[in-house]
Amino acid sequence: MFSEERTTVAVSIEEAERLAAELYGVAAAAATLPGEYDCNFHLRTNDDREFILKCMHPAREASFIEMQCAALEHLREKAAHLPLPRVQSTRKQTQFAETSDSAGQRRLVWMLSFLPGITLEKTNPHSLEILEGLGRFLGELDAALATFSHPAVHRELKWDSSRAGWIRSQLHHIEEPSRRALVEYFLSLYEKEVEVRRSNLRTGPIYGDANDHNVLISPAWPQPRKIAGVIDFGDMHHGWIVSEPAIATAYALLGKNDPLSIARDIARGFYRAFSLTDPEVAALFPLIGMRLAVSVVNSAARKKQKPDDPYVTVTEDQAWVALEQLAKIQPRFAHYALRDACGRSAVPKAQKVTAWLKQQRDAGSSAVEADLRTTPLHVFDLSAASSMLGANPATTESHALTRAIFERMEHERVAIGIGRYNEARLLYTTAQYGGDEANRNERRTIHLGLDLFVVPGTPVCAPLEGVVYLLAENMAELDYGPLVILRHETGDGDEFFTLYGHLTRETLRELKPGQALARGEVFARVGTLHENGGWPPHLHFQVILDLLDRDAEFPGVARASERSIWTSLSPDPNLLLGIPAEKIPPVESTPEEIVPRRRELLGGNLGISYRKPLKIVRGWRQHLYDETGRAYLDVYNNVPLVGHSHPRVVRAAQEQLALLNTNTRYLHDNILKYTERLTQLLPDPLRVCYIVNSGSEANELALRLARAYTECEDTIVLEHAYHGHTNTLIDISPYKFNGSGGSGKKPWVHVAPLADDYRGIYRRGEPDLGAKYAANVGETCRGLQTQGKRPTYIAETLPSVGGQIVFPPSYLAESYRHVRAAAGVCIADEVQVGFGRLGTHFWGFETQGVVPDIVVLGKPIGNAFPLAAVVTTREIANAFDNGMEFFSTFGGNPVSCAVGLAVLDVLREEGLQANALRIGRLLINEFTRLHQRRALIGDVRGSGLFLGLDLVQSRETRAPAPAQASYVVNRLREEGILTGTDGPHHNVIKLRPPLIFSESDADHFCVTLDRILLEDPAQPAS
Ligand SMILES: Cc1ncc(COP(=O)(O)O)c(C=O)c1O
């Protein structure tokens, strides 16, 4: 038995305070800290200094304390940058004291500085930064400890992984056979993979106890959080260095879903500070499992001795769950994943085998009866960004894809088409690829083979000498269909496999496992769509370095998050086939490659959303897809009103563009059809339309119209407003002219207070809010009137850039009344809110019961096609028609009008305004419930699918919480949901999804948001 098998002997608080005073001269209030054997206290002096007093178990030996003190002292010298407790000297200048407690028991007492921080246990979430940071911290710690020595560090400790075999004789304590079998599995893995490598595992003094009570994390802000230290060096021992990250991982993965990704994060961090050797990396996964196995055996044994001790079972249930999760991971795969995390090629033999394959290519190897080095062929783009079949990721409909592929090959006059290796594809739509209809999970997208599109019946030949390893018929939809795997060896005897999918059934009847094949021998034929898993006829050819015991279930497509591991397991088959590199366009560029190129080629002030920029290559309905095929639920973009790439809208543009696109100096029906439909949606007297290309162009024109009518340039705008990016529009946009780089307000611009009843000068609950806010507009109008000026008043009907503001009732009515009393013009900017988004009304101005003189439309009306419009009264239009021709080259062209018409059709036919109302109400109800539970949400506002969540530090002061808002938005992005922030303080989460947003989307959004709002950085500061 190990020496820790003891029970606690208590020390009272009074006694701790007495000991602190007597031994250290420190007058402090003590509070008990949890401890398994020894008694620890937190001390706080009157002048707020803090210490940890440790009164050791009577059975503790002095050498044990001496070792820890010496180690902490060593670390203070060798790794001063690591925050660690510092040993405090006693009044007698010793590092610890021997005394006796009130019960007359001998006690060794020592005192440490207090290390501020939040335990990992109380930290949420355990982010990538924290896990990698923990690995790195431990690596730095152990690197510094490498030069430490003390006799007591060579101790017999049950937690020392190099002695973990002790559990072998204790397995009988685990009564349940399946659980015992689980432990036996990890024990045998330890014996096979670790104990045999014993001599290759470096040893040294290690900290050895990075559990989530001992690891301290910095406060939630500033981000990213850092490791604020580790405490309790009581488990320090001379052991295997690699046990350190293994122990940390065994704790960190408790209660989580993806143990391997946690192991990778910690290993990556550790490796950066302390380079692990190949055998050490190979021991890592078995050691993680073994640490958990030791833990459950220890609990089982101690439970029998001390059934009521809470320490015995503290993490037991979670440890069992973790063991079950780990047992599902193929240990060799785990090894490869950890090698990958530690900067190596995942599969150790990968470089050797690929070099050998290249040599074979030079000798001529092919999987078909043609030399692919010279045969004419066409390389297809089947990536997530491919435009071959349109935006719908489900368009793998085999017949259409087959037609597209073979027609193209015919057109190119080639007999072989190539589908690229390591290409991220959305073609894999069935459940076995991990996808779900709502696009919530990471599905497998990375193609691990190379496709050879050829006519059915095409002979397949062995590119190398080999033996038939297995034959299988994977007949699930979009699976391999009839499948053959051949086994080969390199000249050095390294085993590897080649896989051939989508063959004929007959192939399987004619081959036998074990059958030897000569290089170039025909052994199979390419199957038809009806027998090959439902794919366009092709051979899926893949090289596999380790079958991972998965045989016929070895994947041909991998998750993008594991891309580097799987591409090491399945290297590029073209190494063997030798298709000239210049014929194969490179796979998609990554965001990391694009960002610097943008900096080079584009203006520096072109913004990019999110801390981790997104490359978006496809949009379909309410989802956007990145270059790896990952789907993001779009809760932000108001432009794709009827859904991204709506087929009806796309078809309208394509058909018209294929026929004619020209300008309004020629007569055409489209512009009349469109303007007729637009004006039908607007009240009298808004009857005259101008069609342009962007919101800015439309607002610019609206100002020209207004000025032509009023013969005056004075313009009243709202605080924080934004109306567009031209010179004049910047001048009337306080958001810009008052913002960074802005040059201030022009004298002809008059800024009225934003009628924000949550944060503005008059607040919800007061009477006549609308009139009170509008009074300011009235004053300005009267002032201008006395100077003989006629004002133009421009406002968004629900200010979006201002923070998704809903005006108090009658605000616009009162403002318009004042403007009109001064013979002015009222412009309603409906660029963001118009077109049914609000649910209750088609236009924002309708919610305020007003009719503007000029309405400006943009963004959503073309569903992402450049289209904008200005609609006004005949009277204003006549004033503008002053002899100068109005012409916008692209404005009102037949394509944009065809698009506009299609958008209107879809809106009506799909009942999208009603959907916006229904889903908007669900969201508001759920947000209102969230508001009661989560203090960060100060206000919930909006209408339909135009919503805002105003995040605050305190509900009382309403102090905005922009850092938290940005955190939430970036976390949502990590979770696959796109939102953004807005408002003058950047603290309002802005929600404006396509109007096809569903109930399930709304649920998913609310559940994810709720989870994120529980995380530490999403808490209000006060
Ligand atoms: C309210 C409002 N008006 C006008 C514009 C300008 O539109 P565009 O960017 O299409 O020129 C914007 C753009 O964000 C806007 O939000």
Side-chain angles (χ1 to χ4, degrees):
M1 258 306 126
F2 292 89
S3 56
E4 294 81 11
E5 309 292 310
R6 302 165 178 144
T7 47
T8 325
V9 182
V11 170
S12 70
I13 286 185
E14 295 74 31
E15 190 151 9
E17 290 174 351
R18 178 182 65 79
L19 288 169
E22 270 179 32
L23 301 173
Y24 289 89
V26 168
T32 311
L33 293 171
E36 199 172 350
Y37 309 108
D38 308 311
C39 299
N40 299 326
F41 297 89
H42 175 239
L43 302 179
R44 185 189 290 276
T45 65
N46 277 344
D47 56 352
D48 273 344
R49 286 177 302 136
E50 292 172 85
F51 300 98
I52 299 296
L53 187 76
K54 298 174 82 71
C55 305
M56 306 310 279
H57 191 281
R60 289 283 195 201
E61 281 144 22
S63 61
F64 176 66
I65 323 290
E66 248 172 47
M67 169 194 77
Q68 293 180 68
C69 290
L72 287 170
E73 200 47 34
H74 176 88
L75 290 166
R76 188 176 64 77
E77 280 170 24
K78 300 281 187 252
H81 66 288
L82 293 180
L84 290 169
R86 306 291 179 217
V87 181
Q88 308 295 303
S89 297
T90 64
R91 291 168 95 170
K92 294 184 180 156
Q93 298 306 313
T94 56
Q95 290 190 316
F96 61 94
E98 184 170 344
T99 181
S100 49
D101 63 19
S102 54
Q105 302 243 38
R106 166 189 167 276
R107 291 278 183 179
L108 298 174
V109 177
W110 52 310
M111 194 163 88
L112 294 169
S113 61
F114 175 76
L115 213 54
I118 299 148
T119 59
L120 188 58
E121 186 212 4
K122 297 210 166 82
T123 299
N124 177 21
H126 291 184
S127 62
L128 171 75
E129 285 95 352
I130 287 178
L131 294 172
E132 262 185 25
L134 173 59
R136 185 170 196 133
F137 190 100
L138 295 171
E140 289 177 9
L141 189 69
D142 289 351
L145 283 176
T147 51
F148 174 72
S149 66
H150 190 281
V153 84
H154 298 271
R155 50 200 286 228
E156 212 171 89
L157 186 73
K158 68 183 167 191
W159 302 114
D160 175 353
S161 305
S162 66
R163 301 169 194 260
W166 68 263
I167 65 168
R168 218 172 272 127
S169 62
Q170 304 293 316
L171 296 184
H172 58 276
H173 291 298
I174 298 171
E175 262 143 39
E176 216 211 296
S178 66
R179 288 194 157 179
R180 202 178 318 133
L182 195 56
V183 172
E184 277 164 356
Y185 167 76
F186 282 101
L187 183 56
S188 77
L189 197 63
Y190 175 79
E191 287 162 353
K192 278 205 306 267
E193 300 294 333
V194 184
E195 287 196 320
V196 294
R197 291 194 168 88
R198 208 168 252 286
S199 60
N200 287 322
L201 303 179
R202 287 172 297 170
T203 58
I206 64 167
Y207 161 71
D209 200 14
N211 71 54
D212 50 1
H213 299 271
N214 284 348
V215 175
L216 300 179
I217 308 297
S218 68
W221 295 97
Q223 288 273 311
R225 299 177 86 170
K226 296 203 163 51
I227 306 302
V230 293
I231 54 171
D232 191 355
F233 279 64
D235 276 358
M236 212 184 119
H237 61 278
H238 189 92
W240 289 327
I241 305 287
V242 64
S243 297
E244 190 80 277
I247 293 166
T249 305
Y251 283 116
L253 55 76
L254 297 178
K256 307 212 181 74
N257 293 328
D258 191 352
L260 196 52
S261 99
I262 288 157
R264 284 167 76 191
D265 294 344
I266 292 180
R268 195 180 305 112
F270 190 87
Y271 170 79
R272 281 183 192 150
F274 200 130
S275 178
L276 294 169
T277 63
D278 280 354
E280 285 168 343
V281 179
L284 191 45
F285 180 74
L287 282 175
I288 296 167
M290 193 58 177
R291 171 61 180 215
L292 289 163
V294 168
S295 169
V296 293
V297 171
N298 183 55
S299 296
R302 293 198 70 198
K303 215 163 18 180
K304 287 199 179 153
Q305 288 167 2
K306 297 199 292 177
D308 301 327
D309 186 342
Y311 278 101
V312 172
T313 51
V314 75
T315 52
E316 195 191 352
D317 292 344
Q318 286 187 329
W320 281 114
V321 173
L323 279 169
E324 276 158 24
Q325 288 173 333
L326 290 179
K328 289 192 190 124
I329 303 172
Q330 219 284 351
R332 291 199 304 284
F333 182 74
H335 174 207
Y336 301 150
L338 291 167
R339 280 180 57 89
D340 180 69
C342 293
R344 292 163 164 78
S345 68
V347 181
K349 64 184 173 188
Q351 271 156 356
K352 238 173 105 195
V353 178
T354 51
W356 186 83
L357 290 175
K358 266 188 221 161
Q359 286 167 12
Q360 303 311 303
R361 170 191 64 197
D362 299 339
S365 286
S366 185
V368 286
E369 290 174 319
D371 187 342
L372 298 174
R373 294 174 301 174
T374 49
T375 307
L377 34 83
H378 178 77
V379 180
F380 286 97
D381 176 3
L382 298 173
S383 71
S386 169
S387 55
M388 257 181 82
L389 289 173
N392 183 354
T395 326
T396 48
E397 201 270 292
S398 321
H399 294 281
L401 188 59
T402 307
R403 254 194 321 275
I405 286 174
F406 284 88
E407 276 171 14
R408 182 77 204 201
M409 283 163 54
E410 206 180 314
H411 177 81
E412 300 284 336
R413 295 171 193 275
V414 296
I416 301 175
I418 301 293
R420 289 180 296 181
Y421 163 77
N422 194 18
E423 181 174 67
R425 299 174 171 180
L426 286 166
L427 302 176
Y428 309 105
T429 48
T430 51
Q432 61 162 314
Y433 293 100
D436 57 317
E437 254 175 48
N439 270 325
R440 312 261 151 89
N441 305 329
E442 183 189 11
R443 59 161 136 158
R444 293 189 280 133
T445 56
I446 308 297
H447 188 229
L448 297 174
L450 189 132
D451 293 324
L452 294 164
F453 293 97
V454 285
V455 292
T458 299
V460 176
C461 37
L464 300 164
E465 184 187 306
V467 172
V468 177
Y469 174 77
L470 74 75
L471 308 171
E473 207 168 342
N474 291 17
M475 291 318 286
E477 196 195 341
L478 301 188
D479 206 324
Y480 286 128
L483 162 78
V484 174
I485 297 181
L486 305 185
R487 183 185 173 282
H488 312 270
E489 274 181 22
T490 64
D492 284 351
D494 282 320
E495 176 186 75
F496 69 97
F497 301 86
T498 49
L499 179 151
Y500 307 80
H502 317 300
L503 304 171
T504 58
R505 284 213 175 91
E506 209 185 325
T507 299
L508 304 182
R509 286 196 288 273
E510 289 174 2
L511 278 179
K512 280 198 195 66
Q515 187 177 330
L517 296 175
R519 182 181 193 133
E521 185 175 340
V522 171
F523 69 95
R525 282 177 194 278
V526 172
T528 66
L529 182 152
H530 306 288
E531 63 190 330
N532 78 355
W535 291 101
H538 74 287
L539 170 69
H540 171 98
F541 175 53
Q542 185 172 340
V543 179
I544 299 168
L545 303 192
D546 180 346
L547 276 169
L548 299 171
D549 307 330
R550 291 173 77 162
D551 288 358
E553 301 306 320
F554 193 91
V557 184
R559 284 159 60 180
S561 58
E562 295 175 342
R563 192 175 198 159
S564 48
I565 308 165
W566 287 102
T567 49
S568 177
L569 266 159
S570 272
D572 187 351
N574 198 39
L575 288 171
L576 204 50
L577 302 180
I579 301 167
E582 63 276 12
K583 287 200 183 162
I584 306 187
V587 286
E588 74 284 348
S589 54
T590 62
E592 293 72 27
E593 288 160 351
I594 289 183
V595 169
R597 293 202 58 224
R598 261 174 73 115
R599 240 180 264 130
E600 236 172 76
L601 293 166
L602 308 174
N605 50 357
L606 207 62
I608 303 179
S609 298
Y610 305 113
R611 199 159 59 99
K612 200 161 174 272
L614 273 175
K615 180 181 178 192
I616 294 297
V617 298
R618 181 179 287 244
W620 178 248
R621 294 181 63 79
Q622 61 272 55
H623 287 100
L624 289 170
Y625 295 83
D626 72 11
E627 79 288 359
T628 70
R630 181 175 184 194
Y632 293 85
L633 180 65
D634 188 355
V635 196
Y636 185 67
N637 288 293
N638 56 349
V639 173
L641 186 77
V642 299
H644 290 280
S645 313
H646 195 291
R648 182 87 173 262
V649 178
V650 171
R651 204 177 331 118
Q654 281 171 340
E655 285 176 1
Q656 183 58 50
L657 189 60
L659 183 66
L660 168 77
N661 201 19
T662 182
N663 63 66
T664 46
R665 286 195 182 123
Y666 303 104
L667 304 183
H668 198 278
D669 290 333
N670 283 8
I671 191 166
L672 293 181
K673 284 188 196 157
Y674 184 53
T675 49
E676 191 173 11
R677 290 278 295 280
L678 262 191
T679 47
Q680 277 167 10
L681 291 165
L682 287 158
D684 274 334
L686 295 167
R687 284 291 162 267
V688 185
C689 301
Y690 300 84
I691 309 295
V692 288
N693 307 290
S694 71
S696 297
E697 197 185 345
N699 269 329
E700 187 74 34
L701 178 61
L703 283 185
R704 282 182 67 198
L705 287 163
R707 288 173 180 184
Y709 182 71
T710 59
E711 296 178 336
C712 176
E713 64 177 8
D714 284 74
T715 308
I716 303 171
V717 299
L718 299 188
E719 280 176 300
H720 315 304
Y722 174 70
H723 295 290
H725 66 80
T726 63
N727 277 311
T728 323
L729 296 178
I730 296 294
D731 287 346
I732 65 156
S733 297
Y735 166 75
K736 290 284 180 196
F737 70 66
N738 279 337
S740 51
S743 50
K745 188 178 82 60
K746 297 279 187 306
W748 49 270
V749 175
H750 310 275
V751 180
L754 177 63
D756 170 359
D757 64 0
Y758 179 67
R759 218 172 258 294
I761 41 175
Y762 310 112
R763 296 193 173 176
R764 229 167 277 168
E766 293 178 41
D768 304 326
L769 277 181
K772 279 184 181 154
Y773 273 109
N776 178 285
V777 176
E779 265 169 50
T780 309
C781 289
R782 284 189 292 278
L784 289 169
Q785 208 176 8
T786 55
Q787 298 168 42
K789 291 178 170 175
R790 297 168 63 190
T792 294
Y793 171 87
I794 180 166
E796 278 192 274
T797 48
L798 280 85
S800 55
V801 177
Q804 305 291 87
I805 304 297
V806 183
F807 288 140
S810 76
Y811 167 71
L812 276 185
E814 284 296 305
S815 298
Y816 282 19
R817 190 172 62 76
H818 292 305
V819 174
R820 285 171 177 156
V825 166
C826 300
I827 305 177
D829 182 336
E830 294 268 346
V831 167
Q832 291 220 25
V833 294
F835 257 60
R837 172 165 296 281
L838 301 175
T840 52
H841 299 82
F842 195 79
W843 304 107
F845 62 76
E846 290 173 309
T847 65
Q848 287 275 309
V850 294
V851 177
D853 305 306
I854 303 174
V855 179
V856 179
L857 318 178
K859 297 190 193 266
I861 71 171
N863 206 56
F865 193 89
L867 176 61
V870 181
V871 189
T872 188
T873 63
R874 176 59 58 199
E875 203 183 342
I876 293 176
N878 286 345
F880 183 57
D881 184 8
N882 59 2
M884 183 192 290
E885 185 198 9
F886 167 70
F887 179 63
S888 163
T889 302
F890 299 115
N893 68 63
V895 176
S896 62
C897 292
V899 166
L901 279 163
V903 172
L904 287 173
D905 288 341
V906 175
L907 260 183
R908 189 178 54 201
E909 286 165 26
E910 295 186 12
L912 295 185
Q913 183 181 336
N915 193 58
L917 182 64
R918 189 173 68 86
I919 305 298
R921 283 195 172 140
L922 290 176
L923 281 168
I924 293 240
N925 286 343
E926 196 44 49
F927 293 158
T928 309
R929 275 197 286 275
L930 266 181
H931 175 258
Q932 282 156 15
R933 292 204 303 273
R934 306 281 173 250
L936 188 67
I937 303 181
D939 191 30
V940 173
R941 54 185 178 246
S943 172
L945 291 175
F946 178 85
L947 299 165
L949 298 170
D950 193 317
L951 304 188
V952 293
Q953 305 288 10
S954 140
R955 293 226 173 126
E956 250 111 76
T957 62
R958 301 187 183 181
Q964 286 89 338
S966 160
Y967 174 82
V968 170
V969 162
N970 279 293
R971 279 286 292 119
L972 282 165
R973 173 242 182 271
E974 277 174 17
E975 299 288 329
I977 296 177
L978 304 185
T979 58
T981 54
D982 222 327
H985 311 286
H986 309 287
N987 68 315
V988 179
I989 299 197
K990 197 163 168 174
L991 310 169
R992 310 162 308 177
L995 304 194
I996 53 170
F997 209 64
S998 71
E999 201 169 323
S1000 138
D1001 297 328
D1003 280 350
H1004 174 58
F1005 175 70
C1006 292
V1007 167
T1008 313
L1009 177 67
D1010 194 17
R1011 182 155 44 80
I1012 292 172
L1013 287 176
L1014 280 172
E1015 294 177 2
D1016 304 341
Q1019 302 315 307
S1022 48

